Amino acid sequence: MSSRFDELRIFTGNGNPALAQAISARLGIPMGDITVTTFPNENIFVKLNESVREKDVFVIQSLASPLSDRIMELLIMLDACKRAAAGRVTAVIPYFAYGRTDKRDQPRVPITARLLADMIQVAGAQQVITLDLHAGQIQGFFNIPVDELSAMSLLVRYFSERAWNDVVVVSPDMGFAKRARNFAEQLGAPLAIVEKRRIQQLALSETHEARVEARSLIGEVSGHRCILVDDEISTGSSMLAAADLLIAQGAREVYAAAVHPVLAGTAAERLRDSPICELVTTDTLPVAPEKRWPGLRVLSVAPLLAEVIQRIHSGVSVDTIFRHRNPALG
Ligand code: R5P
């Protein structure tokens, strides 16, 4: 099908260039020529080194570390595309940061996820593609189309290929229970849920080890292989506390699956040295070589994002991708 826009072009900043390259290779188009650099005074400078007039532009930027710089790069790239008269500008944000600051759950706090959504729109995004938001309702912080995809099916497929018949899927907290249930249904496995409490929300220790307590377990795990599943691993504390509880309750082996490998501070080291046999994640965020260990498996979301970009460019529905990924939504 032909597009109502001119040529498809993709650009990236420094959020996750390897993922952007993989998407571009999959689409069979070269990366757009762009300069994204920082002046000595810390001002970020962006220049599109090719015309985007009337083109269908996709700006790929994962909100990785250093986070504030990556956010500014994204905003400035969007602004550059808008001012260069692009036909349409789509922000492709594989990992949307600040998703956990999505409500006023204590006095005098901001809703930073909403602020970020506002900034992305003001900068020039006309639509957004993202993956596994911390909460689906964040879609509604935007007044432009948001296609939220899920990489959960990649993780499900990875484990279903193991053909284990003694698996229990475990949600590391109540908040993720519904999505963990969908994961369990797709694997044909039962579900267990950990009751998690965060002891220290704001002031993290020097090692960024957020204090988390896994208090109790709903479900039976004794003698089973457990797969802990979550949207992201930040400090790793949620997964580690849950893994210890599962081992204490007689689990045979513990695996972990999470879409977004934030791996803040010493998370990688702590996970490597933990009872978790294997952590399966994706490349929505870059994982530095020093944060990799033999038990870390990174699956690529590039084919999924490339397909969605191609469909959106061609004006073809992405509905079948959503259905395929989440047959058990409800
Ligand atoms: C929290 O609600 C999220 O779903 C994750 O459980 C959380 O982001 C993990 O954080 P951490 O790895 O720091 O425990």
mmCIF file of all heavy atoms in Angstrom, residues 100 134 172-173 176 196 198 210 212 230-239, ligand 1:
data_model
loop_
_atom_site.group_PDB
_atom_site.id
_atom_site.type_symbol
_atom_site.label_atom_id
_atom_site.label_comp_id
_atom_site.label_asym_id
_atom_site.label_seq_id
_atom_site.Cartn_x
_atom_site.Cartn_y
_atom_site.Cartn_z
ATOM 1 N N ARG A 100 6.774 5.762 36.256
ATOM 2 C CA ARG A 100 6.339 5.469 37.629
ATOM 3 C C ARG A 100 5.856 6.725 38.336
ATOM 4 O O ARG A 100 5.274 6.641 39.419
ATOM 5 C CB ARG A 100 7.473 4.793 38.406
ATOM 6 C CG ARG A 100 7.639 3.346 37.991
ATOM 7 C CD ARG A 100 9.013 2.803 38.278
ATOM 8 N NE ARG A 100 9.267 2.603 39.696
ATOM 9 C CZ ARG A 100 10.435 2.155 40.178
ATOM 10 N NH1 ARG A 100 11.412 1.863 39.348
ATOM 11 N NH2 ARG A 100 10.606 1.987 41.457
ATOM 12 N N HIS A 134 4.782 1.730 31.813
ATOM 13 C CA HIS A 134 4.600 1.258 33.185
ATOM 14 C C HIS A 134 3.099 1.093 33.493
ATOM 15 O O HIS A 134 2.697 0.140 34.160
ATOM 16 C CB HIS A 134 5.248 2.227 34.172
ATOM 17 C CG HIS A 134 5.049 1.791 35.583
ATOM 18 N ND1 HIS A 134 5.563 0.612 36.068
ATOM 19 C CD2 HIS A 134 4.348 2.340 36.602
ATOM 20 C CE1 HIS A 134 5.200 0.462 37.323
ATOM 21 N NE2 HIS A 134 4.471 1.495 37.670
ATOM 22 N N PRO A 172 6.134 -10.000 40.650
ATOM 23 C CA PRO A 172 6.883 -9.565 41.832
ATOM 24 C C PRO A 172 6.130 -8.556 42.694
ATOM 25 O O PRO A 172 6.602 -8.186 43.768
ATOM 26 C CB PRO A 172 8.143 -8.932 41.242
ATOM 27 C CG PRO A 172 7.780 -8.570 39.853
ATOM 28 C CD PRO A 172 6.671 -9.462 39.401
ATOM 29 N N ASP A 173 4.965 -8.100 42.218
ATOM 30 C CA ASP A 173 4.130 -7.235 43.057
ATOM 31 C C ASP A 173 2.683 -7.296 42.580
ATOM 32 O O ASP A 173 2.380 -7.852 41.517
ATOM 33 C CB ASP A 173 4.654 -5.787 43.100
ATOM 34 C CG ASP A 173 4.780 -5.152 41.727
ATOM 35 O OD1 ASP A 173 3.966 -5.476 40.838
ATOM 36 O OD2 ASP A 173 5.687 -4.327 41.527
ATOM 37 N N PHE A 176 1.632 -5.635 39.058
ATOM 38 C CA PHE A 176 1.897 -6.270 37.761
ATOM 39 C C PHE A 176 1.073 -7.543 37.578
ATOM 40 O O PHE A 176 1.200 -8.239 36.563
ATOM 41 C CB PHE A 176 3.399 -6.583 37.622
ATOM 42 C CG PHE A 176 3.841 -6.732 36.201
ATOM 43 C CD1 PHE A 176 3.985 -5.631 35.374
ATOM 44 C CD2 PHE A 176 4.066 -7.988 35.660
ATOM 45 C CE1 PHE A 176 4.356 -5.765 34.048
ATOM 46 C CE2 PHE A 176 4.436 -8.148 34.328
ATOM 47 C CZ PHE A 176 4.582 -7.026 33.520
ATOM 48 N N LYS A 196 4.689 -7.140 47.687
ATOM 49 C CA LYS A 196 5.934 -6.364 47.830
ATOM 50 C C LYS A 196 5.659 -5.051 48.548
ATOM 51 O O LYS A 196 4.639 -4.416 48.320
ATOM 52 C CB LYS A 196 6.491 -6.080 46.427
ATOM 53 C CG LYS A 196 7.635 -5.083 46.356
ATOM 54 C CD LYS A 196 8.122 -4.909 44.923
ATOM 55 C CE LYS A 196 7.601 -3.644 44.282
ATOM 56 N NZ LYS A 196 8.131 -3.419 42.932
ATOM 57 N N ARG A 198 7.739 -1.328 49.313
ATOM 58 C CA ARG A 198 8.959 -0.517 49.212
ATOM 59 C C ARG A 198 9.156 0.171 50.546
ATOM 60 O O ARG A 198 8.281 0.886 51.019
ATOM 61 C CB ARG A 198 8.815 0.534 48.107
ATOM 62 C CG ARG A 198 9.040 -0.051 46.740
ATOM 63 C CD ARG A 198 9.219 1.031 45.683
ATOM 64 N NE ARG A 198 9.211 0.371 44.381
ATOM 65 C CZ ARG A 198 10.285 -0.151 43.818
ATOM 66 N NH1 ARG A 198 11.455 -0.085 44.410
ATOM 67 N NH2 ARG A 198 10.194 -0.743 42.646
ATOM 68 N N ALA A 210 17.337 0.217 46.158
ATOM 69 C CA ALA A 210 16.065 0.561 46.773
ATOM 70 C C ALA A 210 15.697 -0.574 47.714
ATOM 71 O O ALA A 210 15.894 -1.735 47.397
ATOM 72 C CB ALA A 210 15.001 0.708 45.702
ATOM 73 N N VAL A 212 13.403 -3.081 49.330
ATOM 74 C CA VAL A 212 12.132 -3.713 48.988
ATOM 75 C C VAL A 212 11.969 -4.940 49.880
ATOM 76 O O VAL A 212 12.931 -5.654 50.134
ATOM 77 C CB VAL A 212 12.160 -4.137 47.500
ATOM 78 C CG1 VAL A 212 11.062 -5.125 47.190
ATOM 79 C CG2 VAL A 212 12.053 -2.922 46.591
ATOM 80 N N ASP A 230 8.205 -8.817 34.906
ATOM 81 C CA ASP A 230 7.939 -7.415 35.263
ATOM 82 C C ASP A 230 8.125 -6.565 34.009
ATOM 83 O O ASP A 230 8.681 -7.023 33.008
ATOM 84 C CB ASP A 230 8.923 -6.972 36.358
ATOM 85 C CG ASP A 230 8.312 -5.934 37.297
ATOM 86 O OD1 ASP A 230 7.313 -5.298 36.917
ATOM 87 O OD2 ASP A 230 8.850 -5.761 38.405
ATOM 88 N N ASP A 231 7.686 -5.301 34.091
ATOM 89 C CA ASP A 231 7.893 -4.427 32.930
ATOM 90 C C ASP A 231 9.340 -3.956 32.855
ATOM 91 O O ASP A 231 9.935 -3.906 31.787
ATOM 92 C CB ASP A 231 6.914 -3.229 32.923
ATOM 93 C CG ASP A 231 6.974 -2.400 34.187
ATOM 94 O OD1 ASP A 231 7.401 -2.920 35.237
ATOM 95 O OD2 ASP A 231 6.596 -1.202 34.140
ATOM 96 N N GLU A 232 9.929 -3.604 34.014
ATOM 97 C CA GLU A 232 11.307 -3.116 33.986
ATOM 98 C C GLU A 232 12.077 -3.614 35.199
ATOM 99 O O GLU A 232 11.501 -3.949 36.235
ATOM 100 C CB GLU A 232 11.341 -1.586 33.949
ATOM 101 C CG GLU A 232 10.839 -0.920 35.211
ATOM 102 C CD GLU A 232 10.971 0.600 35.169
ATOM 103 O OE1 GLU A 232 10.513 1.207 34.196
ATOM 104 O OE2 GLU A 232 11.533 1.166 36.131
ATOM 105 N N ILE A 233 13.394 -3.653 35.040
ATOM 106 C CA ILE A 233 14.270 -3.908 36.187
ATOM 107 C C ILE A 233 15.104 -2.662 36.359
ATOM 108 O O ILE A 233 15.895 -2.305 35.485
ATOM 109 C CB ILE A 233 15.201 -5.112 35.958
ATOM 110 C CG1 ILE A 233 14.386 -6.387 35.856
ATOM 111 C CG2 ILE A 233 16.202 -5.223 37.090
ATOM 112 C CD1 ILE A 233 15.193 -7.645 36.077
ATOM 113 N N SER A 234 14.908 -1.974 37.465
ATOM 114 C CA SER A 234 15.670 -0.755 37.699
ATOM 115 C C SER A 234 16.834 -1.065 38.637
ATOM 116 O O SER A 234 17.924 -1.396 38.193
ATOM 117 C CB SER A 234 14.738 0.323 38.249
ATOM 118 O OG SER A 234 15.465 1.487 38.497
ATOM 119 N N THR A 235 16.598 -1.022 39.944
ATOM 120 C CA THR A 235 17.679 -1.385 40.880
ATOM 121 C C THR A 235 17.802 -2.894 41.018
ATOM 122 O O THR A 235 18.777 -3.388 41.587
ATOM 123 C CB THR A 235 17.404 -0.810 42.283
ATOM 124 O OG1 THR A 235 16.203 -1.414 42.779
ATOM 125 C CG2 THR A 235 17.236 0.697 42.245
ATOM 126 N N GLY A 236 16.795 -3.605 40.565
ATOM 127 C CA GLY A 236 16.792 -5.065 40.709
ATOM 128 C C GLY A 236 16.227 -5.527 42.039
ATOM 129 O O GLY A 236 16.028 -6.726 42.256
ATOM 130 N N SER A 237 15.951 -4.593 42.931
ATOM 131 C CA SER A 237 15.542 -4.984 44.292
ATOM 132 C C SER A 237 14.242 -5.780 44.313
ATOM 133 O O SER A 237 14.099 -6.714 45.106
ATOM 134 C CB SER A 237 15.410 -3.742 45.172
ATOM 135 O OG SER A 237 16.670 -3.115 45.271
ATOM 136 N N SER A 238 13.280 -5.416 43.445
ATOM 137 C CA SER A 238 11.997 -6.141 43.436
ATOM 138 C C SER A 238 12.227 -7.595 43.055
ATOM 139 O O SER A 238 11.721 -8.517 43.712
ATOM 140 C CB SER A 238 11.024 -5.501 42.438
ATOM 141 O OG SER A 238 10.835 -4.153 42.731
ATOM 142 N N MET A 239 12.990 -7.820 41.984
ATOM 143 C CA MET A 239 13.251 -9.185 41.513
ATOM 144 C C MET A 239 14.049 -9.971 42.552
ATOM 145 O O MET A 239 13.780 -11.145 42.804
ATOM 146 C CB MET A 239 14.034 -9.149 40.198
ATOM 147 C CG MET A 239 13.228 -8.689 38.999
ATOM 148 S SD MET A 239 11.968 -9.914 38.550
ATOM 149 C CE MET A 239 11.628 -9.438 36.856
HETATM 150 C C1 R5P B 1 7.280 -1.112 39.719
HETATM 151 O O1 R5P B 1 6.146 -0.893 40.006
HETATM 152 C C2 R5P B 1 7.733 -1.730 38.432
HETATM 153 O O2 R5P B 1 6.788 -2.556 37.843
HETATM 154 C C3 R5P B 1 8.980 -2.512 38.691
HETATM 155 O O3 R5P B 1 8.678 -3.521 39.623
HETATM 156 C C4 R5P B 1 10.030 -1.640 39.249
HETATM 157 O O4 R5P B 1 10.282 -0.598 38.366
HETATM 158 C C5 R5P B 1 11.303 -2.394 39.522
HETATM 159 O O5 R5P B 1 12.166 -1.536 40.213
HETATM 160 P P1 R5P B 1 13.408 -2.105 40.998
HETATM 161 O O6 R5P B 1 14.163 -2.978 40.037
HETATM 162 O O7 R5P B 1 14.170 -0.883 41.410
HETATM 163 O O8 R5P B 1 12.901 -2.866 42.183
#
